[in-house]
Amino acid sequence: MEERFAGSTEYVAQDNLKQIVNIAMALEKPLLVKGEPGTGKTMLARAVAEALDMPLITWNIKSTTKAQDGLYVYDVVQRLYDSQFGTHGVDDIGRYVKMGKLGEAFTAEEQTVLLIDEIDKADLEFPNDLLWELDQMEFYIPETNETVKAKHRPVVIITSNAEKELPDAFLRRCIFHYIDFPDEEQMRKIIGVHFHQIEETLVDQAMATFYWIRSLPEIEKKPGTSELIDWLRALQIGGVPVEELAARSGGEIPLAGVLLKKDKDLGVLEKHRGRR
């Protein structure tokens, strides 16, 4: 029976997101997920792995990352060092070939979930350099004259913060989904996952402030879901009374530095808070 993703205990997924995950798995195509920070793109891969009981392999992309890094690395320096000291087995090149994250997913003894996180951080050629491997589920190692073929096709989830446009050839090979920022109803469900006990009035007041801050057009880095969760925890730890939070609806917002991480944004908040 084909496994299907229906959400997990730690991840509140909307129906359209669950549907697109299952479509991508059925079509055996990578799922490209976009959305602003705080919409749960990275957490989706963890949730899919948990729900389907598969190991999760995460490839965190940086500006310096090359596609080759994900396939394998040939440690020629270590081999040269070993040859100088007469280490046994130096002629076995395979000893010096280490699989990258994509290689790990291909050679795993069971099906895995492969997360390629923040692909748009790499240079423009990076996605195109992975087309063959993601299409054919194999790659060639010239040093050992070996072709590595996937034992099991991994469930590939790729995230992007839309910092730069991805190549059309790459996009054509993916299933695409944009995760909208949670509305208040969805956010309450997410909060319910993270807090077993929390005052409803505190949630009401905190969410009202949170969405008001997000609505301010001058805010450069809008607070996301993780900032709201952290702020609620901070309010609890700090012992800020619900009544005080409500009373400050037109005044100072307690522990605002948990929500906003830029001096400019805190200045914007200071300018607007008296107008609420």
Side-chain angles (χ1 to χ4, degrees):
M1 182 178 177
E2 183 181 343
E3 292 186 283
R4 292 179 61 82
F5 174 62
S8 75
T9 56
E10 299 296 325
Y11 189 86
V12 179
Q14 296 180 343
D15 289 341
N16 60 350
L17 178 56
K18 290 185 281 189
Q19 181 183 46
I20 205 70
V21 169
N22 290 316
I23 288 173
M25 289 194 296
L27 296 178
E28 297 186 334
K29 289 181 176 291
L31 174 61
L32 174 62
V33 182
K34 287 188 178 182
E36 67 174 274
T39 50
K41 301 184 298 296
T42 299
M43 288 298 297
L44 172 63
R46 298 174 189 169
V48 172
E50 175 192 332
L52 302 183
D53 195 23
M54 295 180 185
L56 173 64
I57 296 175
T58 301
W59 185 7
N60 293 304
I61 306 303
K62 303 176 182 179
S63 60
T64 56
T65 302
K66 304 298 181 185
Q68 176 67 38
D69 300 336
L71 305 182
Y72 73 96
V73 175
Y74 171 42
D75 195 345
V76 65
V77 175
Q78 183 63 51
R79 187 180 180 219
L80 178 61
Y81 178 85
D82 289 348
S83 66
Q84 291 175 338
F85 288 89
T87 303
H88 178 71
V90 72
D91 291 334
D92 181 7
I93 296 178
R95 291 181 55 193
Y96 302 94
V97 172
K98 181 181 179 181
M99 291 296 157
K101 296 299 183 180
L102 196 60
E104 287 180 22
F106 282 10
T107 57
E109 295 299 328
E110 57 184 315
Q111 188 177 23
T112 65
V113 174
L114 172 64
L115 169 62
I116 304 178
D117 202 22
E118 298 189 326
I119 193 172
D120 50 330
K121 281 188 174 180
D123 63 44
L124 290 175
E125 292 304 313
F126 177 84
N128 281 340
D129 290 343
L130 287 177
L131 290 180
W132 169 266
E133 288 77 15
L134 293 178
D135 263 354
Q136 302 300 317
M137 286 286 130
E138 66 179 45
F139 62 88
Y140 178 65
I141 303 178
E143 289 84 358
T144 60
N145 193 30
E146 175 190 8
T147 297
V148 176
K149 296 185 178 182
K151 295 181 179 180
H152 305 277
R153 177 180 286 270
V155 177
V156 181
I157 296 177
I158 304 169
T159 71
S160 169
N161 287 326
E163 292 182 2
K164 63 171 70 87
E165 288 297 319
L166 299 173
D168 289 343
F170 180 79
L171 294 174
R172 284 196 296 269
R173 288 165 170 81
C174 297
I175 302 297
F176 174 76
H177 184 76
Y178 187 91
I179 301 182
D180 292 317
F181 195 83
D183 59 18
E184 293 194 21
E185 180 182 357
Q186 184 81 355
M187 189 63 81
R188 286 182 185 277
K189 293 178 181 178
I190 294 171
I191 291 171
V193 168
H194 290 272
F195 295 89
H196 297 299
Q197 285 187 332
I198 187 169
E199 292 182 71
E200 194 66 29
T201 309
L202 175 61
V203 174
D204 292 341
Q205 294 294 336
M207 283 184 54
T209 299
F210 173 77
Y211 280 101
W212 171 73
I213 292 174
R214 283 184 55 85
S215 72
L216 299 177
E218 302 100 319
I219 296 291
E220 288 186 359
K221 190 179 187 321
K222 295 181 180 182
T225 306
S226 60
E227 282 80 19
L228 175 58
I229 299 300
D230 288 344
W231 190 45
L232 284 168
R233 288 199 176 107
L235 291 171
Q236 287 184 320
I237 294 170
V240 177
V242 175
E243 298 79 12
E244 183 179 347
L245 188 63
R248 290 181 173 183
S249 59
E252 181 185 353
I253 294 174
L255 307 174
V258 180
L259 287 171
L260 299 174
K261 309 300 174 65
K262 289 190 173 186
D263 291 341
K264 180 180 178 181
D265 289 342
L266 287 169
V268 170
L269 183 61
E270 180 71 17
K271 181 178 72 173
H272 280 274
R273 64 182 174 81
R275 305 176 188 175
R276 294 177 66 195

